[in-house]
Amino acid sequence: DGGITQSPKYLFRKEGQNVTLSCEQNLNHDAMYWYRQDPGQGLRLIYYSQIVNDFQKGDIAEGYSVSREKKESFPLTVTSAQKNPTAFYLCASRTRTGRSHYGYTFGSGTRLTVV
Amino acid sequence: AQKVTQAQTEISVVEKEDVTLDCVYETRDTTYYLFWYKQPPSGELVFLIRRNSFDEQNEISGRYSWNFQKSTSSFNFTITASQVVDSAVYFCALSWGTGFQKLVFGTGTRLLVSP
């Protein structure tokens, strides 16, 4: 079945370290997204990519970086510059063309904790 | 600016009660999509409904119904005869603009259904 795979499910990071969260989709979707979820704040957009080798900053991009070398993959790196990285991270994708479906498919998330 | 407001932070009901989750949105665009997602304790977002701005018909799906009113910029969600399995966080979201590239979420409403 098609879907989005995020790994790992739980991740612990020491302060000052970079860490990369994986997001892979086999839906043949063009667009991919990273959201951060904090308690009581809903989901906030970090980065998004509409096509391979192109991506745009979302509302809270500082301290994060991404790459989109393949259509299926959109990894997120949480750098040491991110002051408060402990959060739940969700990856999403959607098809870019056509008006038949503008719904988003979400992964099951990665819970990152700084120790 | 585009914005989604879910004023109810948490709602507690007893099984079989009806419950309505409120959603108010702001956008200057005339073409937009509204969504509801369910987030169970496991963390993934489950798509419930998508509604475009030109379709104000109310929709019913089993115990779920949605009331879209452009005059009040609201897209409310009602669960009839609630069940314990309905316990989750529910998010309302808005997508707008060319290609509907971005999705902005409300802060979510936590629904607790007790037996």
Side-chain angles (χ1 to χ4, degrees):
Chain A
D1 288 340
I4 295 181
T5 301
Q6 288 189 244
S7 60
K9 191 173 180 65
Y10 298 96
L11 189 57
F12 296 89
R13 189 196 92 173
K14 293 182 179 179
E15 285 201 36
Q17 284 183 338
N18 292 356
V19 64
T20 297
L21 283 59
S22 171
C23 178
E24 304 277 334
Q25 55 102 355
N26 60 3
L27 299 163
N28 199 33
H29 284 175
D30 296 293
M32 296 187 73
Y33 302 78
W34 274 105
Y35 286 89
R36 169 179 171 142
Q37 184 178 11
D38 295 282
Q41 293 195 43
L43 280 74
R44 293 180 291 168
L45 182 62
I46 305 172
Y47 268 98
Y48 63 105
S49 167
Q50 300 295 312
I51 55 174
V52 174
N53 292 323
D54 186 52
F55 48 82
Q56 287 80 40
K57 293 182 179 180
D59 302 317
I60 55 166
E62 185 176 352
Y64 299 97
S65 66
V66 293
S67 62
R68 187 85 188 277
E69 297 177 0
K70 298 187 300 182
K71 188 175 185 178
E72 303 80 20
S73 179
F74 191 41
L76 173 74
T77 296
V78 185
T79 74
S80 56
Q82 170 49 236
K83 299 305 179 188
N84 184 22
T86 294
F88 187 58
Y89 292 86
L90 280 162
C91 179
S93 71
R94 74 168 180 89
T95 182
R96 178 170 174 264
T97 58
R99 295 181 64 83
S100 60
H101 180 59
Y102 278 102
Y104 292 64
T105 301
F106 285 83
S108 56
T110 293
R111 192 166 298 280
L112 173 64
T113 304
V114 173
V115 296
Chain B
Q2 282 72 17
K3 184 180 178 182
V4 175
T5 301
Q6 295 180 256
Q8 304 153 308
T9 304
E10 185 169 309
I11 301 175
S12 293
V13 299
V14 177
E15 214 171 13
K16 298 183 182 176
E17 283 186 30
D18 298 347
V19 58
T20 295
L21 283 59
D22 297 333
C23 173
V24 174
Y25 63 93
E26 296 176 29
T27 179
R28 291 195 182 94
D29 287 64
T30 56
T31 304
Y32 51 89
Y33 283 85
L34 293 163
F35 302 80
W36 275 96
Y37 286 89
K38 174 182 180 179
Q39 186 178 44
S42 54
E44 78 276 15
L45 286 185
V46 178
F47 170 77
L48 296 178
I49 190 172
R50 177 187 72 253
R51 172 69 70 216
N52 75 56
S53 52
F54 298 108
D55 182 3
E56 283 193 78
Q57 277 192 330
N58 291 332
E59 180 157 339
I60 298 175
S61 176
R63 296 184 297 107
Y64 296 169
S65 62
W66 291 269
N67 185 322
F68 178 29
Q69 290 195 337
K70 290 176 74 171
S71 61
T72 56
S73 295
S74 65
F75 187 43
N76 296 338
F77 173 32
T78 297
I79 301 175
T80 303
S82 59
Q83 299 175 2
V84 172
V85 294
D86 296 327
S87 297
V89 180
Y90 291 86
F91 289 98
C92 182
L94 168 70
S95 184
W96 72 97
T98 303
F100 304 96
Q101 293 183 13
K102 295 173 71 173
L103 188 64
V104 65
F105 286 83
T107 52
T109 297
R110 180 177 300 277
L111 175 64
L112 299 173
V113 183
S114 55

